Amino acid sequence: MVDYSVWDHIEVSDDEDDTHPNIDTASLFRWRHQARMDRMEQFQKEREDLEKAQGECKRKLSEVQRKIKELEVSGTDDAKSELQKLQQEQQGLKKEEKSCDKKLEEHRKQEKKMPWNVDTLSKEGFSKSVFNVKPEDKEETEEEKEQKHKTFVEKYEKAIKHFGMLRRWDDSQKYLSDNPHLVCEETANYLVIMCIDLEVEEKHALMEQVAHQTIVMQFILELARSLKVDPRACFRQFFTKIKTADQQYQDAFNDELEAFKVRVRERAKVRIEKAMKEYEEEERQKRLGPGGLDPADVYETLPLEMQKCFDDKNIQLLQDVISKMDPTEAKYHMQRCIDSGLWVPNSRTAEEEGDKAEEGDPVYEELKKETEEEEKK
């Protein structure tokens, strides 16, 4: 059974419908409410004083009991005299404790008998609100991002390429509805790389098509970040907005698309230039002679007379030119020709002739003879 008797005594300051015409009703209600608040405050203060007295009494009693235990161990006459005094004090504190307990109990009974009012009818149950907010993801390292991207692409590469080839808004929305897992950063990153690859391959029209879908994905991700929701939960909102958007939103989309195309072309140009440099370096490494010199570079440093000899492949003319040159300079140029492979002494390999390959060469012999004569002078 539910006891409804507690509702029989409720004190409300403004429960009178009629008051004396010479009395201001609002002021009367305020006075009554203030008087009730003063009574409640006084009653609460009395309870606090009783609880404080009870606590002080218990503290003193605990201290006396501790001293009594210490004196009981000692057998001196002074200890016995002090022990008697403490025992008497203990009895007095116990009586005082019982009195405090009785007064506090009577006070609680009076509190229960007090009529309820607007300030005591209800109490606050809780004062906080809890929202189910997705916690922020822990920032991933570069290695983790790379591995995540690689795994995603291996699994969904075909689906991403298909999305990149779509043209109509409705087709894109339907495809993402059927494949919501594609609405993520990994898809946008792959489409960017795909655009650069197509531009490098000079497939310009196809690049522009994929670029359009790339900006679609990037706008969806940006909308998700602004709303602080999962991108999969707001891509439909993007398509609804873009299809019914005002001219300003359309212009913003088109401006970003054109700017993205420019960035793709610049990035493709850089990649092509880098590839060309790498190719040229590989070809240069292939051309290097036995001494590590590039024959093209060595040829450019030769005197014009020697260059003509190599152009005409005229050995006799080369001998004549060397004979007219300073021996030291001639030896310098011929050694660089040998190190670059531009001139192979005697046209025989080192395996066949060993260290004697240069000795049988007519140009080398002529150069050696002139060097010896110069040294004798």
Side-chain angles (χ1 to χ4, degrees):
M1 299 292 293
V2 180
D3 183 11
Y4 293 99
S5 61
V6 294
W7 300 97
D8 294 339
H9 305 285
I10 299 178
E11 181 181 4
V12 183
S13 59
D14 56 353
D15 57 353
E16 293 89 352
D17 294 332
D18 298 324
T19 57
H20 195 277
N22 295 334
I23 298 177
D24 180 59
T25 304
S27 299
L28 176 63
F29 291 164
R30 284 197 301 272
W31 294 336
R32 288 179 175 176
H33 182 264
Q34 184 61 43
R36 185 176 70 247
M37 294 297 294
D38 293 341
R39 291 197 304 271
M40 290 175 60
E41 184 178 354
Q42 180 63 28
F43 193 80
Q44 181 66 21
K45 187 175 182 303
E46 291 176 2
R47 178 174 179 173
E48 292 175 356
D49 292 341
L50 288 173
E51 290 177 347
K52 184 178 179 180
Q54 184 188 45
E56 184 66 18
C57 182
K58 289 181 180 295
R59 185 190 66 78
K60 291 181 178 180
L61 181 60
S62 177
E63 182 67 19
V64 169
Q65 290 174 344
R66 183 185 64 80
K67 292 181 179 180
I68 290 175
K69 290 182 180 179
E70 293 176 354
L71 292 174
E72 286 176 349
V73 178
S74 177
T76 62
D77 295 338
D78 294 338
K80 291 180 180 180
S81 177
E82 184 68 21
L83 181 61
Q84 290 178 357
K85 293 180 181 180
L86 290 174
Q87 288 175 346
Q88 291 177 1
E89 185 178 356
Q90 181 183 21
Q91 291 177 359
L93 288 172
K94 285 184 177 180
K95 290 180 181 180
E96 184 179 352
E97 182 184 21
K98 289 181 180 179
S99 176
C100 289
D101 292 342
K102 185 177 180 180
K103 290 180 180 179
L104 191 59
E105 183 63 27
E106 290 177 356
H107 188 275
R108 288 170 179 164
K109 288 180 180 179
Q110 291 179 8
E111 185 179 14
K112 290 182 179 180
K113 292 179 181 180
M114 290 177 64
W116 287 4
N117 55 65
V118 68
D119 299 305
T120 59
L121 280 173
S122 60
K123 295 182 180 180
E124 182 178 337
F126 57 89
S127 59
K128 68 176 182 178
S129 301
V130 180
F131 296 93
N132 293 326
V133 179
K134 181 181 178 182
E136 294 184 3
D137 297 332
K138 182 180 178 182
E139 186 175 355
E140 298 176 330
T141 62
E142 291 299 325
E143 292 78 7
E144 291 174 340
K145 290 180 180 179
E146 183 177 353
Q147 182 59 38
K148 182 179 179 181
H149 177 78
K150 182 180 179 182
T151 304
F152 184 86
V153 170
E154 289 176 353
K155 188 174 182 179
Y156 301 113
E157 183 177 12
K158 184 177 180 181
I160 298 173
K161 288 183 176 180
H162 181 84
F163 173 77
M165 300 301 170
L166 299 176
R167 293 179 178 274
R168 299 174 63 248
W169 297 117
D170 293 337
D171 293 340
S172 297
Q173 181 177 356
K174 184 178 184 306
Y175 192 74
L176 292 181
S177 299
D178 298 336
N179 302 274
H181 52 274
L182 296 181
V183 188
C184 61
E185 290 283 352
E186 286 72 27
T187 297
N189 294 338
Y190 183 84
L191 290 174
V192 171
I193 298 173
M194 186 177 175
C195 288
I196 298 174
D197 291 340
L198 291 171
E199 183 64 20
V200 170
E201 296 170 5
E202 298 184 354
K203 299 178 181 179
H204 307 300
L206 197 56
M207 181 278 289
E208 293 183 356
Q209 166 58 34
V210 178
H212 178 274
Q213 296 300 92
T214 305
I215 300 303
V216 168
M217 186 58 63
Q218 290 182 354
F219 262 61
I220 293 173
L221 296 176
E222 184 61 32
L223 178 62
R225 280 191 288 268
S226 63
L227 298 177
K228 295 183 180 180
V229 297
D230 192 296
R232 293 171 293 183
C234 67
F235 72 88
R236 293 179 180 84
Q237 185 175 348
F238 163 76
F239 286 108
T240 301
K241 186 175 182 180
I242 196 66
K243 286 187 287 187
T244 60
D246 54 18
Q247 189 61 38
Q248 184 178 1
Y249 191 78
Q250 287 283 357
D251 292 342
F253 182 90
N254 294 331
D255 291 344
E256 181 60 27
L257 176 58
E258 293 303 318
F260 176 72
K261 292 178 184 178
V262 172
R263 294 196 296 271
V264 168
R265 295 187 183 102
E266 292 176 351
R267 186 67 185 88
K269 182 179 179 181
V270 171
R271 185 190 289 186
I272 292 173
E273 291 176 353
K274 182 180 178 181
M276 290 298 296
K277 290 180 180 179
E278 292 176 352
Y279 174 77
E280 291 174 358
E281 180 61 23
E282 290 177 0
E283 291 298 312
R284 195 184 74 83
Q285 291 292 333
K286 293 178 181 179
R287 293 196 305 265
L288 294 182
L293 298 180
D294 187 349
D297 295 339
V298 172
Y299 177 83
E300 293 296 329
T301 62
L302 293 176
L304 295 177
E305 295 83 357
M306 292 187 69
Q307 290 183 3
K308 189 175 186 306
C309 296
F310 282 103
D311 292 339
D312 298 340
K313 298 181 181 180
N314 191 327
I315 297 177
Q316 184 59 45
L317 182 59
L318 179 60
Q319 291 177 358
D320 295 340
V321 171
I322 290 176
S323 63
K324 297 177 182 179
M325 293 175 62
D326 179 75
T328 303
E329 182 183 0
K331 186 176 182 179
Y332 167 77
H333 287 298
M334 285 306 300
Q335 186 61 49
R336 283 172 56 82
C337 290
I338 294 171
D339 291 341
S340 65
L342 192 62
W343 176 263
V344 180
N346 207 28
S347 301
R348 289 178 291 185
T349 63
E351 292 181 358
E352 295 174 347
E353 297 296 333
D355 295 337
K356 297 181 180 180
E358 294 179 346
E359 296 180 359
D361 181 69
V363 177
Y364 183 82
E365 290 295 336
E366 180 67 24
L367 181 59
K368 182 178 179 182
K369 181 179 179 181
E370 293 183 0
T371 303
E372 289 175 353
E373 292 177 356
E374 184 68 22
E375 290 176 353
K376 288 178 182 181
K377 293 179 181 180

